[in-house]
Amino acid sequence: MPFQAVNQKMVQAQIVPGQRVFSQRGAMLAYTGEISFTPNVMGGQGGVMSMIGRRVANEDTPLMTVEGQGTVMFGHGGHHVHVIELGNDTLYVEADRLLAFDGSLQQSTMFMGSQGGVMGMVRGQVTGQGLFTTQLSGKGSVAVMAHGGVVELPIQPNQPVHVDPQAYVAHRGDVRNKLSSALGWRDMIGRGSGEAFQLELSGHGVVYVQASEEKL
């Protein structure tokens, strides 16, 4: 059930009987047809909906289940929307970046400490993104939000990509991440002072980066 871009800040999905879409609560902008919207924080597929979007404070990102027959348009806060097509692989995405995704995708939550050990936990503390990242696996579409649009950067073996943690949106593939400090990094580019951090992604895959350091 692919999402189609309406413009840079809106997508639409065709909803058919027997299929469903999950979206952030309140992300519906307009719809046609017979559509139902059901709040869904606890429970869900395999009991993992209660974990999806969980952060350090054990908060959950409010979601709703969209079912029926018709067309639904999604958007939120005027943020740019980027559609990612998964072909039986896994996307790792910050929970608050998720706008909507196919209900056919398998959902789980990854503790960031499992990628990079202690550095994964440090990343959550210094970026405010939390220790948990949502995993979406299978074949289907995911619509993510970003400030200023998204660029896809390939990650090649022995060619790691360094990303400002505040600009990180998501990644996919066989990728490992770690947080490294870089004294004077922000001073050199005129965006602050003191110690800065870079998110280093290595392996093979793609990282999605927004054109801003502003949080959602």
Side-chain angles (χ1 to χ4, degrees):
M1 188 188 305
F3 293 99
Q4 295 180 333
V6 177
N7 56 36
Q8 291 183 331
K9 300 181 179 181
M10 297 172 59
V11 294
Q12 68 179 18
Q14 296 292 328
I15 310 297
V16 298
Q19 297 183 356
R20 58 183 174 178
V21 164
F22 293 113
S23 76
Q24 278 205 17
R25 200 176 303 173
M28 187 278 293
L29 300 177
Y31 73 91
T32 60
E34 298 295 326
I35 304 294
S36 65
F37 303 90
T38 306
N40 192 340
V41 175
M42 303 300 291
Q45 293 183 344
V48 299
M49 289 299 292
S50 62
M51 297 190 301
I52 208 166
R54 184 172 297 168
R55 305 177 189 177
V56 181
N58 291 325
E59 298 175 349
D60 291 310
T61 297
L63 297 175
M64 61 183 178
T65 302
V66 183
E67 298 176 290
Q69 184 168 9
T71 301
V72 184
M73 295 183 182
F74 298 101
H76 186 67
H79 302 306
H80 285 78
V81 181
H82 185 76
V83 177
I84 300 172
E85 298 291 342
L86 295 182
N88 291 318
D89 53 345
T90 300
L91 179 73
Y92 304 85
V93 57
E94 299 298 327
D96 59 359
R97 304 283 184 174
L98 278 173
L99 177 67
F101 55 95
D102 279 344
S104 60
L105 294 173
Q106 298 297 313
Q107 311 142 28
S108 61
T109 301
M110 181 185 72
F111 179 58
M112 287 306 298
S114 67
Q115 283 202 350
V118 174
M119 295 309 292
M121 301 195 318
V122 172
R123 171 177 173 262
Q125 293 173 359
V126 301
T127 66
Q129 292 174 315
L131 302 184
F132 295 90
T133 289
T134 299
Q135 292 182 175
L136 298 173
S137 302
K139 186 175 182 179
S141 299
V142 183
V144 299
M145 296 179 291
H147 282 288
V150 169
V151 63
E152 301 182 12
L153 298 178
I155 303 169
Q156 309 266 348
N158 301 316
Q159 297 180 22
V161 176
H162 296 83
V163 176
D164 185 315
Q166 302 293 355
Y168 169 84
V169 175
H171 73 268
R172 66 197 291 184
D174 184 12
V175 175
R176 292 192 60 82
N177 69 72
K178 69 177 182 179
L179 198 72
S180 60
S181 61
L183 290 174
W185 180 51
R186 289 183 184 274
D187 285 335
M188 290 173 19
I189 59 176
R191 293 192 179 183
S193 61
E195 189 173 45
F197 294 89
Q198 299 175 13
L199 185 61
E200 179 182 308
L201 299 108
S202 58
H204 186 270
V206 176
V207 58
Y208 301 86
V209 182
Q210 71 172 14
S212 169
E213 294 174 316
E214 186 176 352
K215 295 181 182 179
L216 295 182

